Amino acid sequence: GKFELMPIFFVIDEFDLFASRSKRQTLLYNLCDLLQQYTAQMALIGMTTRFDAYELLEKRIRSRITYRVIVFPPPSLETT
C-alpha cells in the first residue's frame, strides 16, 4: 500500500540518558540493528545538550551508526 515506502524517523530527546545506562543501550543496539536492514526506510535522531554523548555509547552501538553532529546555538536574549 501507500505506507510501505514511507520513511520513519525515531527522535530521541535527551539522548545522553539512553547512552549513559546499559539497559537503555540495549534498546539503542536493537534499534540500530533494525536500521541496518537493507529494506529499512528509517533514521534515528538523537538530541542532547551534551557534546560527549557519542563517547558514552558502547563500541557495538558506535559501530552501527553514522555519527553526524548539528549544533544549534542557544537562543539569544534578543530572539526570545
Side-chain angles (χ1 to χ4, degrees):
K2 67 180 179 178
F3 296 109
E4 263 181 52
L5 300 176
M6 186 174 289
I8 298 171
F9 293 89
F10 294 96
V11 180
I12 300 177
D13 193 14
E14 298 188 31
F15 184 77
D16 53 291
L17 296 178
F18 281 84
S20 63
R21 293 184 173 85
S22 63
K23 288 184 180 180
R24 291 186 179 163
Q25 285 207 24
T26 301
L27 173 67
L28 289 176
Y29 177 78
N30 290 329
L31 184 57
C32 289
D33 201 37
L34 179 65
L35 296 173
Q36 294 293 319
Q37 292 183 10
Y38 178 72
T39 58
Q41 297 281 328
M42 297 178 267
L44 172 64
I45 300 170
M47 300 186 311
T48 183
T49 57
R50 291 184 59 168
F51 285 101
D52 66 341
Y54 181 75
E55 286 79 25
L56 296 173
L57 294 171
E58 297 172 4
K59 184 179 178 180
R60 65 185 182 144
I61 298 171
R62 287 194 310 256
S63 70
R64 293 191 178 310
I65 62 174
T66 302
Y67 178 59
R68 293 190 183 133
V69 176
I70 302 172
V71 177
F72 295 99
S76 67
L77 293 174
E78 298 170 0
T79 60
T80 57

